[in-house]
Amino acid sequence: MHEELFRTESVAERVASETLIIDVDGYEGPLDLLLTLSRTQKVDLRKISVLDLAVQYLMFIERATALRIELAADYLVMAAWLAFLKSRLLLPPDPKEDGPSGDELAAHLAYQLERLQAMRDCAAKLMARDRLGKDRFVRGLPEDVSRRRTVIYTANLLDLMQGYARIRTKDDFRPFVLDRDAVITMEQALTRMRGLIGFTGDWTDIISYLPEDWLNDPQKRKSATASTFAASLELAKEGNIEIRQGELYAPIEIRKRS
Amino acid sequence: MANIHEESLFKAPDICEQERMVEAILFASAEPVSLHEMVSRMPHGSEPIAALENLQKRYQGRGVEVKEIDRAWAIRTSPDLSFLMRRETVETRKLSRAAIETLAIIAYHQPVTRAEIEEIRGVAVSRGTIDQLLELEWIKLGRRRQTPGRPATFVVTNLFLDHFGLEHARDLPGLKELRAAGLLDNRAAPGTEISDETEYSTDVQESLFDGEDPADDIED
Amino acid sequence: MANIHEESLFKAPDICEQERMVEAILFASAEPVSLHEMVSRMPHGSEPIAALENLQKRYQGRGVEVKEIDRAWAIRTSPDLSFLMRRETVETRKLSRAAIETLAIIAYHQPVTRAEIEEIRGVAVSRGTIDQLLELEWIKLGRRRQTPGRPATFVVTNLFLDHFGLEHARDLPGLKELRAAGLLDNRAAPGTEISDETEYSTDVQESLFDGEDPADDIED
């Protein structure tokens, strides 16, 4: 007899626990759960008793915990908050205490529930509309619009002349290109010396490396001397030649490094 | 009729001709065609808006209808004939409840941030849900909110409007009633400061549903 | 109109209704629809052939037409409006600075090799620039230069002369004129008179740099 009673209880309990498990899985968060619980009150969401709701929710959580159902942190946070709300609603307001009153908090929760319900109703209305591909259909044989883009390039004589003038003007500021005949660059001197250095074994005055036709014009000679000297230093730095000067103003001599 | 195009080089085609052209363009396209697109394809000087209105009237009560979708136009079969279209029905992947709710929240609250969606649903929005809606091209990213962190906002697309047979986002069912009931306000929980974000969001929302009668706005 | 379908279970819909149905079916179908197919999709007792005839008449002279294609029907764009299905845009663009300069050099120095153009401009000439000018048919290939490597030369075309309103490339204003017109700086560099320009470009320059990249001369 005793056993019998015990068994029936445990069956009921088992059924209850199973429903709970299913429900907790089915709920999308504490707000969803609260919304479902509020339906048992069967009243307008604006006239809901938040206190009752809080009590129901806390009971639900208690039962779930007793049945060792894993509850997400969200549910426990909500439980704590509702417990706080419950105490605020039950106790007379403390004038010394700051912050919102229990009624304000309750009103906001009711608002949240009403808003969620409203969004669910909207979602249902939306999905019930005459939808494309289900109730309304698009053209089955659409035609492609061929797109062709033609680009016309334009230029006039003035553009052409300005373009040419621009190049020639630019040249004016690049004396290196135009005055090339009076200048030997270090690179040119270097190229020249690299070719000649192999043929001279002994100490030689660098002046003898200057191109012959550059010796007479003082302008050319100056440029050639300077670049040849610079090139010598470069070659010495590279370790290809040795360089020496006997005394101040004496000829600078170089020879191939052996 | 062969020289219509040539003639049009000199003067805009008459309204009847324009109506034919608009008709041909809309029939040839599966997607809504914008006014701008029509103008660019029609002969110089065409003003298709009047032609569109005539066409819309002409197709009233026919097997297909001319629908406006946010300043673009499309021809769609009449919904009462859907039973004929079994063959054309596209099986869409079933949307989860979370996806449907999220879509509704975005449509009614746009532009809305992810945090706001989560606040309304009371639960985290999974990445997959947003991705699914983005993939369907029913939602897209809106402007970033000018608040700390500059969060992204979501808005619905014209494809969404077309799919659900809406002319404009302001034609969403029950929008006015929800607004009147204050259910679209971004109401902060008591005791929390009303952040800039909250104030800003109501602003932006108004501008999104612009062109509405200001008298409709019953807000505090 | 909501009860049309139900009604149709008992008797065939009237001819107007059938016309609407045919219209919707033809609109939404991806292929031409046979009579047999229409009958199978429409409510019992429908005779779409009469509806089709009516529809065909209704669309006469409209932007689209109901066409019979091998015992099946389809809605197609009216042939005289096919131009609407093309979108042609013409864009006018200024020739790039590189292209203008290259063109100018070819005009003033023709026949001129690529290496010479690069020497005069002081920068490399991209293949695209030459190709663009060739495509515009403003330049063409001239005789090969009788020097090592037999480099190709470029000359301007008659189309070029036409476009720029010149009778002959010789008519291009010389450097003196450019200078007088204020297009060129007054500081003349020595030895750059337009008179011996052509010779200068082909002989002197080429022998000086023998086809090497001019940039190398300066940098390395």
Side-chain angles (χ1 to χ4, degrees), chain C residues 2-201:
Chain C
N3 60 346
I4 284 159
H5 192 198
E6 274 166 72
E7 261 182 7
S8 69
L9 291 172
F10 308 103
K11 62 178 175 68
D14 67 34
I15 181 76
C16 288
E17 237 354 83
Q18 289 193 32
E19 198 188 312
R20 287 185 72 227
M21 292 176 187
V22 169
E23 190 176 34
I25 290 173
L26 294 189
F27 173 84
S29 175
E31 297 109 40
V33 187
S34 69
L35 213 56
H36 176 259
E37 167 84 21
M38 277 182 244
V39 170
S40 76
R41 282 163 73 176
M42 287 164 68
H44 192 72
S46 299
E47 280 170 48
I49 190 76
L52 261 169
E53 272 168 27
N54 288 0
L55 198 68
Q56 215 155 11
K57 264 183 227 136
R58 189 185 285 271
Y59 276 102
Q60 230 151 51
R62 307 282 322 146
V64 292
E65 53 182 37
V66 178
K67 274 200 81 159
E68 189 190 331
I69 300 138
D70 199 18
R71 299 302 295 158
W73 278 262
I75 297 178
R76 291 285 160 85
T77 307
S78 297
D80 70 298
L81 295 179
S82 61
F83 72 93
L84 291 169
M85 303 306 143
R86 280 191 301 271
R87 199 175 160 169
E88 283 171 63
T89 47
V90 178
E91 221 174 278
T92 318
R93 258 188 243 165
K94 262 277 191 238
L95 210 56
S96 71
R97 184 179 163 137
I100 285 273
E101 288 183 6
T102 305
L103 183 64
I105 292 165
I106 295 170
Y108 275 95
H109 294 259
Q110 64 170 338
V112 63
T113 67
R114 185 171 173 155
E116 289 160 1
I117 298 169
E118 292 186 334
E119 168 54 28
I120 297 168
R121 278 198 71 214
V123 289
V125 173
S126 83
R127 171 115 207 201
T129 305
I130 295 279
D131 284 351
Q132 188 185 21
L133 294 173
L134 284 169
E135 207 173 304
L136 282 165
E137 292 183 61
W138 283 351
I139 64 165
K140 63 179 182 188
L141 289 167
R143 282 173 315 174
R144 285 187 177 276
R145 186 63 56 74
Q146 297 306 317
T147 49
R150 292 172 43 78
T153 64
F154 297 102
V155 295
V156 292
T157 63
N158 287 341
L159 216 68
F160 164 87
L161 297 174
D162 253 18
H163 184 94
F164 289 91
L166 297 164
E167 228 162 87
H168 195 278
R170 277 195 302 264
D171 299 341
L172 279 167
L175 282 189
K176 270 184 196 157
E177 291 162 87
L178 293 180
R179 199 169 285 125
L183 288 168
L184 196 53
D185 204 306
N186 270 322
R187 280 183 298 160
T192 50
E193 286 307 309
I194 194 73
S195 50
D196 42 43
E197 199 69 350
T198 327
E199 274 173 41
Y200 164 78
S201 86

Side-chain angles (χ1 to χ4, degrees), chain A residues 4 79 106-107 115 155 165 197 204 217-218 233 253 258:
Chain A
E4 191 81 345
R115 183 173 60 181
I197 194 80
T204 321
D217 185 331
L233 292 178
E253 293 173 313
S258 43

